[in-house]
Amino acid sequence: MTDAKLIDGNLFSGKLRETIAARVAEMKEKHRITPGLAVVLVGEDPASQVYVRTKGKRTLEAGMNSFEHKLPADTPEDALLLLIESLNKDPAVHGILVQLPVPKHIDTQKVIEAIDPAKDVDGFHPVNVGRLAAGMDAMVPCTPLGSLLLLKDNLGKLGGLDAVVIGRSNIVGKPMAQLLIKESCTVTIAHSQTKDLPDVVRRADIVVAAVGRPEMVKGDWIKPGATVIDVGINRIDLPDGKTRLVGDVDFASAVKVAGAITPVPGGVGPMTIACLLRNTVVACARLHNLPEVEF
């Protein structure tokens, strides 16, 4: 049996960013409007700094306006909420993203709920969570949206397929399940309390692993020919003292069984920022009552 097809997130996200740049150019030419994304970083978490820098670079490459707000780690919660309030009112800002995690003295949920749902390009506000669950138009979290786009590109229509989502977080697991339900999949959300987890996974045509445990999902858990989306990004120590990134799926064994699989890195990761840009363009169109943007 040949190894699974590799689902190239770098390639797909590059094409998506090209489409986004074309839509931005059309908005500028036809409507004299430039989509704007504001990113707020509180503190100096090294990984968050890299994410924010990359987001700013990609935003500008797409022809959009980038507004970065870097605040010290001891910024009071009230000061952050005042900044969000000002961004909500700023007509040049169409998307607002507060980089998580925030320092422990700040209430994450309070921050999320302070963002105008129409500008909530992370899709975490309870209004957007509820709209997604009700099958309505909503801002959709970027990582599940990116995963869905990769699935549809690889499989075409998803209706009738059996999908298992491993992980029940608000950021990935739950919205991923809602998106798959909307595509008419039969969806199971599995997690740490699921009995006979390998058997549950083995019946799935689609497996989305988002559990945060390195290489937990083994190849013998995978139904032959299934499509595997590995959302996990885990850094593990190697015997030589170095480290490397691995997913939640044991790639070496799963690639022998699956029909298609995302690598880590280079799979879902690049899609997250591309979908953030996409969401900002969609938010901009909706805020200005323009026709829905097609991607």
Side-chain angles (χ1 to χ4, degrees):
M1 186 175 176
T2 57
D3 284 0
K5 170 190 171 186
L6 292 188
I7 300 173
D8 191 337
N10 284 316
L11 180 64
F12 189 94
S13 67
K15 291 177 181 176
L16 179 56
R17 291 199 313 273
E18 287 177 9
T19 304
I20 290 164
R23 298 294 179 269
V24 170
E26 286 173 18
M27 280 185 164
K28 289 179 175 179
E29 184 179 346
K30 292 182 181 178
H31 306 288
R32 298 291 182 263
I33 296 168
T34 303
L37 173 63
V39 177
V40 180
L41 174 63
V42 186
E44 298 180 355
D45 178 76
S48 292
Q49 286 182 320
V50 172
Y51 289 142
V52 167
R53 193 159 54 242
T54 306
K55 286 167 184 172
K57 179 184 175 186
R58 295 294 190 214
T59 303
L60 294 173
E61 285 174 354
M64 299 159 62
N65 289 329
S66 175
F67 307 100
E68 288 188 10
H69 298 268
K70 295 182 179 178
L71 308 178
D74 60 357
T75 298
E77 181 180 273
D78 287 350
L80 175 56
L81 296 176
L82 280 172
L83 172 60
I84 293 170
E85 186 181 344
S86 71
L87 295 173
N88 284 340
K89 294 175 180 176
D90 188 342
V93 173
H94 306 99
I96 301 170
L97 181 147
V98 178
Q99 184 66 45
L100 301 178
V102 291
K104 290 181 180 178
H105 68 278
I106 295 173
D107 184 333
T108 300
Q109 194 59 35
K110 197 180 288 186
V111 170
I112 289 169
E113 291 183 21
I115 298 170
D116 180 348
K119 296 187 177 186
D120 166 39
V121 286
D122 252 340
F124 295 162
H125 193 286
V127 168
N128 284 315
V129 173
R131 290 181 68 89
L132 177 62
M136 302 165 70
D137 286 335
M139 287 288 113
V140 179
C142 301
T143 300
L145 178 58
S147 300
L148 180 72
L149 293 177
L150 292 177
L151 281 169
K152 291 175 79 170
D153 182 63
N154 186 67
L155 293 171
K157 290 188 176 180
L158 307 181
L161 296 180
D162 200 325
V164 170
V165 179
I166 311 172
R168 50 181 166 177
S169 72
N170 292 334
I171 294 172
V172 181
K174 290 175 186 174
M176 188 76 240
Q178 297 292 350
L179 287 171
L180 290 167
I181 289 168
K182 196 172 182 180
E183 296 294 327
S184 298
C185 292
T186 300
V187 182
T188 301
I189 301 180
H191 44 76
S192 58
Q193 302 296 311
T194 300
K195 293 181 179 178
D196 302 321
L197 180 59
D199 285 341
V200 172
V201 176
R202 279 187 197 107
R203 67 169 184 251
D205 305 302
I206 295 168
V207 177
V208 181
V211 73
R213 292 177 60 183
E215 300 179 324
M216 185 186 90
V217 180
K218 306 302 181 186
D220 63 3
W221 295 22
I222 306 298
K223 177 181 178 178
T227 300
V228 179
I229 302 293
D230 190 349
V231 179
I233 301 177
N234 310 284
R235 188 170 291 280
I236 62 169
D237 296 320
L238 299 177
D240 60 5
K242 296 180 180 178
T243 64
R244 72 180 176 100
L245 289 178
V246 299
D248 291 349
V249 177
D250 179 13
F251 183 86
S253 60
V255 76
K256 303 292 184 185
V257 185
I261 188 170
T262 56
V264 177
V268 175
M271 293 297 296
T272 299
I273 291 178
C275 288
L276 174 67
L277 303 181
R278 174 201 176 277
N279 280 357
T280 304
V281 175
V282 169
C284 178
R286 290 176 181 170
L287 284 161
H288 287 277
N289 293 313
L290 302 178
E292 193 72 14
V293 185
E294 296 292 331
F295 291 97

